[in-house]
Amino acid sequence: MRVLIWHVHGSWATAFVAGDHEYIVPVVPDRGPDGRGRADTWDWPETVREATPSGLAALAAGGIDVVVLQRPHEADLLRRWTGLVAGRDVPAVYVEHNAPTGHAASTRHPMADVDVVEEGRVPIVHVTEFNALMWDTGHARTLVARHGVPDPGHLWTGGRRSVGAVVNEPVRRWRVAGTDVLVEVGRHVPLDVYGMGVGKLAEHLAAPARGPAHGLHDDVPQHAMHRELAASRAYLHPFRWTSLGLSLLEAMALGMPVLALPTTEAPVAVPPEAGLLSARPDDLVATARRWLDDPDEARAHGDAARAHVLEHYSHTAFLRRWDAILTEVTS
């Protein structure tokens, strides 16, 4: 199929565009949010090609088999750029990547009352069962396509006495991302933090003279980040409220033991043998310290984490599920 999809979430899109289809990603001159084009920091196959709004207009007459929407305004962009109405003129699905941002149990989904969604022509596809449970999607048809991550390989060495974390924009997203938890853990153990905007953490983390030394690594390409991250002894996932961070699954696939909060989908993704889930930062610190002193224990939990991800978040199963969804909506 020829699939139109906006480049929104890099890690998820990297898994998605590895399928057996042709993928068209919009690109605009400034490569802003509505047209980022191909990824710079992820490896995408040649089957992903860019199209300008005028290029998409030329494809409108039968050149697009299905549209994958990920933000409410993308349906308006599609109509403005191509004249096509998602769900009427071209088959479409809407992927909801996030947990509700309002009240956890009563937030109405922004697509719930759109005609083509209510009529079942554009199903809402959630990436976790937790999201599907919590969003109020009204009469819209809902499906779940659980995350799947390409296997980066068992790269964990644990040779660096630090705890790794991946958090984009940690200062701006402070409590949602659990940055205060990250900072609290960093008062007691060394951290290596990766992601966009992590340099802003410097003023919040203890200086070496007053506490552990930390490494802040801003916007490292994915393949290089995996190698560097896997050198840390353990992985910290401090998020209070997130759908299910793909960085968590990737760290587990690397063979890293996990420290995380017991929120949203984490209790499903992280079994007890893979690490520790706790709402008490003191417990996270105590376990991190123990693993820093006992690499064999850390290795055992990391091996269990990797085995769990490969079984339950298989990239092959993810692509197979999406093939079934796309085939259904286009038929």
Side-chain angles (χ1 to χ4, degrees):
M1 301 181 199
R2 182 175 286 167
V3 183
L4 172 60
I5 180 169
W6 275 261
H7 175 188
V8 177
H9 295 284
S11 288
W12 183 89
T14 298
F16 183 81
V17 301
D20 296 326
H21 306 290
E22 180 184 355
Y23 304 90
I24 308 298
V25 291
V27 62
V28 295
D30 65 354
R31 292 189 176 266
D34 289 335
R36 291 192 176 108
R38 287 177 55 91
D40 292 326
T41 55
W42 287 271
D43 292 327
W44 283 9
E46 294 301 317
T47 50
V48 183
R49 65 184 183 88
E50 298 176 342
T52 63
S54 60
L56 290 175
L59 291 173
I64 301 171
D65 295 312
V66 61
V67 179
V68 177
L69 305 170
Q70 301 168 81
R71 298 167 297 174
H73 75 279
E74 289 176 359
D76 294 329
L77 288 177
L78 178 72
R79 189 194 302 241
R80 194 164 77 240
W81 291 350
T82 69
L84 300 175
V85 176
R88 290 201 177 115
D89 303 321
V90 61
V93 298
Y94 185 96
V95 182
E96 179 49 70
H97 291 282
N98 301 312
T101 54
H103 189 286
S106 60
T107 300
R108 187 78 166 179
H109 195 279
M111 296 294 287
D113 302 312
V114 177
D115 288 345
V116 290
V117 175
E118 276 204 323
E119 294 165 7
R121 300 186 196 181
V122 180
I124 297 174
V125 184
H126 296 283
V127 296
T128 71
E129 284 83 358
F130 180 89
N131 288 5
L133 175 71
M134 300 309 287
W135 275 108
D136 173 8
T137 50
H139 298 295
R141 182 169 175 236
T142 59
L143 304 168
V144 175
R146 179 181 280 197
H147 283 311
V149 292
D151 182 8
H154 193 279
L155 302 182
W156 181 86
T157 64
R160 186 187 302 132
R161 286 179 56 85
S162 73
V163 173
V166 179
V167 185
N168 286 327
E169 302 292 344
V171 173
R172 180 180 64 82
R173 301 166 66 206
W174 191 265
R175 282 188 59 82
V176 170
T179 304
D180 56 317
V181 176
L182 181 73
V183 169
E184 175 60 24
V185 173
R187 291 180 58 236
H188 306 279
V189 298
L191 300 174
D192 275 288
V193 187
Y194 301 81
M196 295 182 288
V198 298
K200 296 179 181 178
L201 269 178
E203 63 185 276
H204 300 280
L205 290 170
R210 294 181 285 117
H214 306 297
L216 301 177
H217 314 275
D218 206 327
D219 207 14
V220 180
Q222 188 187 46
H223 63 282
M225 183 190 73
H226 283 164
R227 288 196 304 271
E228 289 298 315
L229 182 63
S232 290
R233 188 67 50 84
Y235 184 79
L236 172 64
H237 188 67
F239 289 80
R240 276 188 177 85
W241 192 251
T242 185
S243 171
L244 175 58
L246 283 172
S247 59
L248 168 64
L249 299 181
E250 290 167 359
M252 293 171 70
L254 291 169
M256 303 186 73
V258 171
L259 302 164
L261 305 183
T263 58
T264 60
E265 190 83 355
V268 175
V270 184
E273 60 271 20
L276 174 69
L277 295 179
S278 177
R280 293 171 51 88
D282 288 351
D283 291 344
L284 301 176
V285 169
T287 301
R289 282 174 160 168
R290 193 172 73 245
W291 288 347
L292 291 181
D293 292 335
D294 189 347
D296 289 337
E297 181 186 349
R299 179 183 295 106
H301 287 297
D303 288 346
R306 175 170 166 80
H308 183 78
V309 163
L310 294 183
E311 179 179 356
H312 296 281
Y313 297 93
S314 154
H315 189 216
T316 300
F318 169 83
L319 292 175
R320 187 165 56 241
R321 174 64 170 146
W322 268 105
D323 279 347
I325 291 172
L326 297 177
T327 298
E328 180 182 341
V329 298
T330 55
S331 63

mmCIF file of all heavy atoms in Angstrom, residues 4 56 84 102 113 126 141 262 264 277-278:
data_model
loop_
_atom_site.group_PDB
_atom_site.id
_atom_site.type_symbol
_atom_site.label_atom_id
_atom_site.label_comp_id
_atom_site.label_asym_id
_atom_site.label_seq_id
_atom_site.Cartn_x
_atom_site.Cartn_y
_atom_site.Cartn_z
ATOM 1 N N LEU A 4 0.062 7.412 3.704
ATOM 2 C CA LEU A 4 0.407 8.779 4.061
ATOM 3 C C LEU A 4 0.435 8.891 5.576
ATOM 4 O O LEU A 4 -0.542 8.564 6.254
ATOM 5 C CB LEU A 4 -0.616 9.759 3.481
ATOM 6 C CG LEU A 4 -0.505 11.222 3.937
ATOM 7 C CD1 LEU A 4 0.851 11.813 3.561
ATOM 8 C CD2 LEU A 4 -1.643 12.049 3.357
ATOM 9 N N LEU A 56 1.498 16.160 -2.646
ATOM 10 C CA LEU A 56 0.371 15.372 -2.132
ATOM 11 C C LEU A 56 -0.888 15.634 -2.949
ATOM 12 O O LEU A 56 -1.677 14.714 -3.193
ATOM 13 C CB LEU A 56 0.121 15.715 -0.659
ATOM 14 C CG LEU A 56 1.178 15.241 0.334
ATOM 15 C CD1 LEU A 56 0.856 15.755 1.729
ATOM 16 C CD2 LEU A 56 1.268 13.711 0.346
ATOM 17 N N LEU A 84 -9.118 15.859 -0.029
ATOM 18 C CA LEU A 84 -9.674 14.580 0.411
ATOM 19 C C LEU A 84 -10.170 14.661 1.848
ATOM 20 O O LEU A 84 -9.536 15.272 2.712
ATOM 21 C CB LEU A 84 -8.616 13.474 0.312
ATOM 22 C CG LEU A 84 -8.023 13.199 -1.071
ATOM 23 C CD1 LEU A 84 -6.901 12.170 -0.956
ATOM 24 C CD2 LEU A 84 -9.109 12.714 -2.036
ATOM 25 N N GLY A 102 -6.245 15.399 30.506
ATOM 26 C CA GLY A 102 -7.137 15.994 31.487
ATOM 27 C C GLY A 102 -7.407 14.989 32.596
ATOM 28 O O GLY A 102 -6.530 14.222 32.988
ATOM 29 N N ASP A 113 -16.170 12.951 18.578
ATOM 30 C CA ASP A 113 -17.418 13.485 18.029
ATOM 31 C C ASP A 113 -17.321 13.908 16.572
ATOM 32 O O ASP A 113 -18.203 14.576 16.043
ATOM 33 C CB ASP A 113 -17.881 14.678 18.883
ATOM 34 C CG ASP A 113 -18.081 14.284 20.336
ATOM 35 O OD1 ASP A 113 -18.739 13.261 20.573
ATOM 36 O OD2 ASP A 113 -17.556 14.973 21.212
ATOM 37 N N HIS A 126 -5.368 2.775 19.715
ATOM 38 C CA HIS A 126 -4.556 3.091 20.885
ATOM 39 C C HIS A 126 -3.305 2.227 20.891
ATOM 40 O O HIS A 126 -3.311 1.092 20.408
ATOM 41 C CB HIS A 126 -5.357 2.842 22.172
ATOM 42 C CG HIS A 126 -6.545 3.734 22.313
ATOM 43 N ND1 HIS A 126 -6.442 5.052 22.709
ATOM 44 C CD2 HIS A 126 -7.867 3.507 22.109
ATOM 45 C CE1 HIS A 126 -7.645 5.596 22.748
ATOM 46 N NE2 HIS A 126 -8.528 4.684 22.380
ATOM 47 N N ARG A 141 -15.234 3.607 17.076
ATOM 48 C CA ARG A 141 -14.655 2.270 17.101
ATOM 49 C C ARG A 141 -13.215 2.374 17.574
ATOM 50 O O ARG A 141 -12.451 3.209 17.099
ATOM 51 C CB ARG A 141 -14.701 1.659 15.707
ATOM 52 C CG ARG A 141 -14.158 0.241 15.667
ATOM 53 C CD ARG A 141 -14.462 -0.409 14.335
ATOM 54 N NE ARG A 141 -13.822 -1.715 14.291
ATOM 55 C CZ ARG A 141 -12.968 -2.098 13.354
ATOM 56 N NH1 ARG A 141 -12.670 -1.282 12.377
ATOM 57 N NH2 ARG A 141 -12.436 -3.287 13.380
ATOM 58 N N PRO A 262 5.181 2.969 39.255
ATOM 59 C CA PRO A 262 4.119 2.005 38.929
ATOM 60 C C PRO A 262 2.874 2.687 38.368
ATOM 61 O O PRO A 262 1.779 2.582 38.929
ATOM 62 C CB PRO A 262 3.842 1.335 40.273
ATOM 63 C CG PRO A 262 4.093 2.420 41.272
ATOM 64 C CD PRO A 262 5.232 3.243 40.711
ATOM 65 N N THR A 264 0.467 4.175 34.802
ATOM 66 C CA THR A 264 -0.050 3.885 33.455
ATOM 67 C C THR A 264 0.268 2.440 33.062
ATOM 68 O O THR A 264 -0.065 1.515 33.783
ATOM 69 C CB THR A 264 0.469 4.914 32.417
ATOM 70 O OG1 THR A 264 1.882 4.898 32.344
ATOM 71 C CG2 THR A 264 0.022 6.319 32.787
ATOM 72 N N LEU A 277 9.477 -1.504 40.333
ATOM 73 C CA LEU A 277 8.487 -0.443 40.200
ATOM 74 C C LEU A 277 8.157 0.026 41.605
ATOM 75 O O LEU A 277 7.773 -0.782 42.453
ATOM 76 C CB LEU A 277 7.217 -0.953 39.521
ATOM 77 C CG LEU A 277 7.311 -1.413 38.074
ATOM 78 C CD1 LEU A 277 5.941 -1.895 37.597
ATOM 79 C CD2 LEU A 277 7.813 -0.305 37.177
ATOM 80 N N SER A 278 8.294 1.316 41.856
ATOM 81 C CA SER A 278 7.985 1.837 43.183
ATOM 82 C C SER A 278 7.587 3.296 43.085
ATOM 83 O O SER A 278 8.152 4.057 42.293
ATOM 84 C CB SER A 278 9.186 1.700 44.119
ATOM 85 O OG SER A 278 8.889 2.285 45.391
#
